[in-house]
């Protein structure tokens, strides 16, 4: 309709966020709740989501903590089934889980290689498959995959992480094309360095921080809510005509 303005409201929606306990996952869960959604919290250890669930409940939204280790297909499928049974549907999946042990390419241990592929790729795919089957039945859904600027630029010492994130970008396109006829939008968000528990130690080094900031046109390290805002947008009705896209939230790093 010509007079229908974009809506960024997630009221009445159910959002499942994987790896929701801290960092980007926590920010995405809170931001989606703030936008009106009820939240299913996928957690490697279910008990770690108690405080976050209470915080979401205090916002007037429903929250459900789920045991969802992304290395276990049984737990992925079980968590999706539990969320579906509890809420009656899943409207949005935020595939946030990811790991990134660093090693130069010549030194990458097989265990680290397998770990990153298992969590970053296999977990993302099978979570998408489990939720996607439900979305196909309803002929509606939004999937937002957490990629990284590492999927489009090379970061020394992180070849396997970069590889998995580049694969996430292409998986996003593949699912968007396959599931578009069912009114399912599939997109990705690709952040730069974000200040989280996982990056704070590295960023505490003045030399490391200086090198990072030299590449970011906006001159600052990102915050989790910078990324969560992009996730809320892609999950919202305002992004209804966007699918197969990877939205860089990199402060201009890749523009240089």
């Amino acid at each position: 309709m010509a007079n229908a303005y974009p809506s960024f409201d997630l009221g009445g929606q159910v959002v499942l966020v994987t790896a929701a306990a801290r960092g980007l996952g926590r920010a995405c869960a809170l931001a989606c709740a703030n936008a009106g959604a009820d939240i299913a919290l996928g957690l490697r250890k279910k008990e770690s989501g108690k405080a976050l669930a209470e915080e979401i409940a205090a916002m007037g939204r429903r929250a459900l903590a789920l045991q969802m280790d992304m290395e276990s297909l049984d737990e992925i499928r079980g968590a999706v089934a539990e969320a579906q049974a509890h809420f009656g549907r899943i409207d949005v999946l935020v595939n946030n889980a990811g790991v990134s042990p660093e090693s130069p390419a010549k030194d990458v241990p097989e265990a680290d290689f397998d770990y990153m592929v298992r969590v970053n790729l296999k977990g993302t795919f099978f979570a998408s498959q489990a939720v996607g089957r439900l979305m196909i039945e309803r002929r509606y859904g939004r999937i937002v995959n957490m990629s990284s600027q590492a999927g489009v630029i090379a970061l020394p010492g992180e070849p396997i992480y970069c590889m998995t994130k580049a694969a996430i970008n292409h998986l996003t396109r593949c699912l968007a094309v396959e599931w578009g006829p069912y009114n399912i939008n599939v997109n990705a968000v690709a952040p730069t360095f974000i200040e989280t528990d996982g990056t704070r130690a590295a960023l505490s080094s003045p030399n490391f921080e200086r090198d990072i900031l030299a590449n970011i046109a906006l001159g600052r390290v990102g915050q989790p809510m910078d990324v969560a805002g992009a996730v809320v947008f892609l999950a919202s009705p305002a992004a209804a005509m966007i699918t197969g896209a990877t939205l860089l939230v990199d402060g201009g790093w890749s523009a240089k």
Side-chain angles (χ1 to χ4, degrees):
M1 295 175 58
N3 293 326
Y5 293 107
S7 171
F8 301 89
D9 181 26
L10 297 182
Q13 301 283 293
V14 175
V15 179
L16 169 58
V17 182
T18 70
R22 61 193 183 102
L24 295 182
R26 182 178 187 278
C28 290
L30 289 170
C32 288
N34 181 68
D38 296 323
I39 312 296
L41 303 168
L43 303 157
R44 188 167 62 86
K45 294 183 178 179
K46 181 178 178 178
E47 60 272 17
S48 68
K50 184 175 184 294
L52 179 55
E54 290 173 352
E55 191 171 349
I56 291 169
M59 299 167 70
R61 309 310 315 164
R62 293 182 294 165
L64 175 67
L66 300 163
Q67 179 60 41
M68 192 178 188
D69 186 334
M70 297 304 289
E71 293 187 77
S72 167
L73 293 190
D74 286 343
E75 288 197 8
I76 289 171
R77 291 164 177 160
V80 169
E82 186 177 346
Q84 171 74 8
H86 183 83
F87 292 110
R89 67 185 192 283
I90 300 171
D91 300 289
V92 180
L93 168 64
V94 180
N95 272 314
N96 171 66
V99 294
S100 57
E102 293 186 33
S103 290
K106 66 182 180 62
D107 298 326
V108 174
E110 183 180 9
D112 283 0
F113 183 102
D114 290 345
Y115 179 44
M116 281 184 271
V117 170
R118 222 169 30 243
V119 176
N120 299 3
L121 283 180
K122 187 176 181 180
T124 292
F125 176 80
F126 281 102
S128 297
Q129 182 191 70
V131 176
R133 287 169 173 165
L134 301 174
M135 292 177 170
I136 287 169
E137 289 180 5
R138 292 183 59 222
R139 303 189 72 85
Y140 176 82
R142 300 284 186 269
I143 297 174
V144 184
N145 295 322
M146 193 61 68
S147 181
S148 167
Q149 66 179 14
V152 295
I153 63 170
L155 296 178
E158 300 191 60
I160 312 309
Y161 181 71
C162 291
M163 177 189 77
T164 61
K165 292 303 183 177
I168 289 292
N169 295 344
H170 199 56
L171 174 63
T172 296
R173 290 187 283 267
C174 291
L175 295 182
V177 169
E178 186 170 330
W179 292 348
Y182 302 101
N183 194 31
I184 300 170
N185 297 50
V186 187
N187 293 292
V189 173
T192 186
F193 283 88
I194 305 298
E195 185 179 357
T196 66
D197 291 342
T199 62
R200 200 163 285 121
L203 291 170
S204 67
S205 163
N207 290 338
F208 182 83
E209 184 180 33
R210 184 180 61 250
D211 291 345
I212 293 300
L213 294 180
N215 288 292
I216 299 177
L218 290 178
R220 69 175 179 86
V221 172
Q223 296 298 313
M225 284 300 173
D226 292 322
V227 182
V231 170
V232 170
F233 164 61
L234 291 173
S236 76
M241 197 58 184
I242 301 174
T243 197
T246 297
L247 175 57
L248 282 155
V249 185
D250 69 348
W253 184 311
S254 61
K256 289 192 171 186

